[in-house]
Amino acid sequence: MNEVIINEVGPRDGLQSQQVILPPEQRIDLINALFAAGLTNIEVGSFVSPTAVPQMAGTDAVARGISVPVGANVSALIPNRKGYELARRSGVDTVAVVVSATETMNEKNIRMSLAQVMDVAEDIIARGSQEGAKVQAYLAVAFECPFEGKVDPTRVYELGGRLLEAGARELVIADTIGAADPKQVRSLMEWLVGAHGASRLACHFHDTRAMGLANVYAALESGVRRFDAAIGGLGGCPFAPGAKGNVATEDVVMMCEQLGYRTGINLDDLLPIVEAVSEVLGAKVGGRAFSWLKQRAA
């Protein structure tokens, strides 16, 4: 398949750790601009406590205020059953549940054990199936945990298999702190693709150790065609020490298009959005190829 689907997570994962808090109106403008640049899959926010993550306050207003093109898909992260209900009432049909692969990360992230988080996730997946909602299951810290260290791949196989068997439409393998290398990625994703098929798998990489793009390439070679990315390389988890920005959308688009894959995203339209985000955040953002891309577009 020559098409690569990029799920833009900048409006959620990209903004949730920023010191500058964008109001819903600015987030709506950002998302609409991303749609105009050709993005068709965008994570618009999360239905979490605004006390815990004030950057995501007003996600319901964002979901209701954006102009979603025909055929496009919006998603939102939810931490629990209440979050699911809030998302559905706001018109969000695709929800993302997060299960961390280690006990400590679950406890630090949402104060629940791994078993409890799996119970909640499987319940939400079942409810989504009954109510016509698409549920994405994220398996966080799938390669390394900031608290427990390296994660045994067999745990990822087991947990991922359970989530898919429960009915998750998509399993997203997340390198939450950017600790993976291409060899690890290829080994893990080849096994998962062989066991479950590529159509229900996606990857989420951070660029902490400058391996984000190489890891995307390794996953591509394994057959994966769905990836999370954030404009300008924004991101970082407030509950995961050491987590840096996501792999940059513009970098992923550039590489995929150069390799002959179709993304449907217009880089010339995307670059001004990165510059606008830099301005509103008061900090320079941009992927590793941003300067070169700007020179090429000039």
Side-chain angles (χ1 to χ4, degrees), residues 81-199:
R81 298 175 183 89
K82 179 180 178 181
Y84 171 85
E85 293 166 1
L86 290 172
R88 298 289 282 144
R89 285 203 295 268
S90 300
V92 176
D93 292 326
T94 300
V95 297
V97 295
V98 180
V99 177
S100 294
T102 66
E103 287 286 353
T104 309
M105 188 62 186
N106 285 297
E107 292 165 2
K108 296 284 186 180
N109 193 14
I110 51 178
R111 299 177 184 176
M112 295 171 65
S113 69
L114 174 56
Q116 289 173 318
V117 175
M118 283 295 290
D119 285 343
V120 171
E122 289 172 333
D123 179 63
I124 290 172
I125 290 168
R127 186 171 175 182
S129 298
Q130 294 171 356
E131 298 177 0
K134 176 182 176 181
V135 181
Q136 300 169 312
Y138 276 73
L139 193 53
V141 296
F143 297 91
E144 185 172 327
C145 172
F147 306 104
E148 296 187 22
K150 298 286 186 181
V151 174
D152 187 338
T154 58
R155 179 179 291 187
V156 177
Y157 302 154
E158 177 190 355
L159 294 173
R162 280 183 58 185
L163 292 165
L164 287 170
E165 288 168 12
R169 299 278 191 93
E170 184 174 271
L171 174 67
V172 186
I173 300 300
D175 182 20
T176 310
I177 61 171
D181 63 57
K183 184 177 180 181
Q184 289 175 299
V185 171
R186 186 161 187 172
S187 174
L188 180 66
M189 297 315 299
E190 281 185 345
W191 192 95
L192 290 170
V193 168
H196 304 290
S199 63

Side-chain angles (χ1 to χ4, degrees), residues 11-118:
R12 197 280 299 177
D13 197 13
L15 296 179
Q16 71 175 2
S17 60
Q18 302 299 317
Q19 292 185 346
V20 176
I21 298 176
L22 302 189
E25 295 78 14
Q26 284 185 297
R27 286 148 58 196
I28 289 170
D29 289 343
L30 169 61
I31 293 166
N32 286 339
L34 291 166
F35 279 133
L39 272 302
T40 56
N41 292 267
I42 300 178
E43 187 180 46
V44 300
S46 60
F47 289 89
V48 297
S49 166
T51 301
V53 188
Q55 295 87 344
M56 290 295 100
T59 292
D60 55 341
V62 172
R64 294 189 183 101
I66 56 178
S67 299
V68 183
V70 175
N73 179 65
V74 300
S75 61
L77 183 145
I78 59 169
N80 49 36
R81 298 175 183 89
K82 179 180 178 181
Y84 171 85
E85 293 166 1
L86 290 172
R88 298 289 282 144
R89 285 203 295 268
S90 300
V92 176
D93 292 326
T94 300
V95 297
V97 295
V98 180
V99 177
S100 294
T102 66
E103 287 286 353
T104 309
M105 188 62 186
N106 285 297
E107 292 165 2
K108 296 284 186 180
N109 193 14
I110 51 178
R111 299 177 184 176
M112 295 171 65
S113 69
L114 174 56
Q116 289 173 318
V117 175
M118 283 295 290

Side-chain angles (χ1 to χ4, degrees), residues 270-291:
L270 193 63
L271 298 180
I273 303 174
V274 177
E275 292 182 310
V277 170
S278 293
E279 185 175 343
V280 296
L281 293 179
K284 187 176 181 180
V285 302
R288 296 183 180 277
F290 181 76
S291 296

